[in-house]
Amino acid sequence: MVSILLVVIYVAFISLGLPDSILGSAWPSMYKTLQVPIASVGILSMMIAAGTIVSSLFSVRVVRRLGTGLVTAISVGLTALALFGFSISGSFLALCLWCIPYGLGAGSVDAALNHYVALHYESRHMNWLHCFWGVGASLGPGIMGFCLTHGLRWNSGYQAVGGLQALLVLGLFLCVPLWNRHKPRTQQAEQPASTRMLDGLRVPGAWQTLLAFFCYCGLETTTGLWASSYLVLDRGFARDAAASMASLFYLGITGGRLLSGFLSTRLGDRRMVRLGFAVLGGGVLLLLVRWSGWSMYAGLILTGLGCAPIFPSLLHQTPDSFGVERSQMLMGMQMASAYTGSTLMPPLFGLVAQFVSISLYPWLLVILLLTMIGLTERATRILSVQQSAAQA
């Protein structure tokens, strides 16, 4: 039964990635049909992100009432409904309304699944599951591109992805009983804890960890979004070459998470985070130097490889760091902080690029990396003191 459930969770992670990237690939066709400015996609993206942040923060209460299996099925159902809603929308206002279930569905399932995997499975599965998220994020634009290149409208792409989500929803509802048959990885007993966010912030090491998640996702999304523009406007690359090079960052993340799954059981979460920082630092330094085009290739790949183990490892160590009784609450807050970072940092750097210089791109990555290192090391020291005091 456990193996069947694990397959279900892997497929669920693919479903998490499917809707995350489809809007960007469809928008060049959508905005002309809807007769709105191309920049309007930012409004949709912010509305989805806002719903995701809210549902992440309240995920602990929802999961405690309904259970992880039911929350996963309902949340994926909301995203499937939103995707179908997008496909039948004939106005920008209608899209804005459908962004509400789109975002609400994404946040709860992300927090619930990550917590369940952190609690019940080894670190390697967390890395591989996030690798499978990358598979889903790649499939979404591929499905949309297939529809558009075969004479179909963008609506058909949303219907196709929504149909896949709907099939998954049916399977998830059938598999709800499986979620309660798995015994926790940790020997601690789950005890009720406060669901108040202020109580979560008072947990030793919590706010440092939350800020680290903000910085990580801000770094990841800013790197991916602005890589091509930096290569063209500051390094003088051709636009087609820059677009291809930017994809190396995501290739590094996907391949790195596959590799991290084999290393994480031996090294442990904290060493994987530090290893990720070291590789990420090497990649960012290569983006800073002005040697040749090859330093940009290597820099983007290494930056992706360095990013790969950080997010899954930080998530996986949550129950061990803060205790099982607090882990669901902290997981929701961590996901909300991560989504906030990925939402705010790219447009903030856009202002820097417009009014100062896009050449500051790698320097921003350096600042975020050093801040992350300081925050995680500080949290590690605080938690080590707490654990030593508890054992004394």
Side-chain angles (χ1 to χ4, degrees), residues 189-273:
E190 291 193 58
Q191 297 294 332
S194 172
T195 59
R196 294 173 55 196
M197 286 176 280
L198 286 178
D199 291 338
L201 290 173
R202 294 190 184 103
V203 176
W207 71 263
Q208 292 90 346
T209 303
L210 293 174
L211 287 179
F213 274 93
F214 177 95
C215 291
Y216 171 79
C217 284
L219 184 148
E220 181 186 305
T221 53
T222 302
T223 302
L225 183 63
W226 287 99
S228 292
S229 299
Y230 171 70
L231 293 172
V232 172
L233 299 176
D234 190 68
R235 295 304 174 94
F237 285 85
R239 294 181 179 181
D240 54 347
S244 299
M245 290 174 67
S247 67
L248 296 175
F249 171 67
Y250 294 105
L251 179 64
I253 290 180
T254 303
R257 284 178 177 164
L258 180 64
L259 178 62
S260 296
F262 294 102
L263 297 175
S264 58
T265 301
R266 177 175 297 181
L267 297 180
D269 292 323
R270 289 180 181 173
R271 288 181 180 176
M272 289 300 298
V273 171

Side-chain angles (χ1 to χ4, degrees), residues 43-93:
I43 298 174
L44 300 178
S45 178
M46 293 287 283
M47 291 188 68
I48 293 171
T52 304
I53 292 167
V54 169
S55 61
S56 295
L57 290 173
F58 288 94
S59 63
V60 59
R61 299 181 184 182
V62 178
V63 171
R64 281 184 176 172
R65 176 166 295 186
L66 302 179
T68 303
L70 195 54
V71 168
T72 301
I74 293 173
S75 297
V76 176
L78 281 175
T79 59
L81 178 64
L83 290 169
F84 280 118
F86 265 54
S87 72
I88 62 173
S89 295
S91 68
F92 184 75
L93 178 59

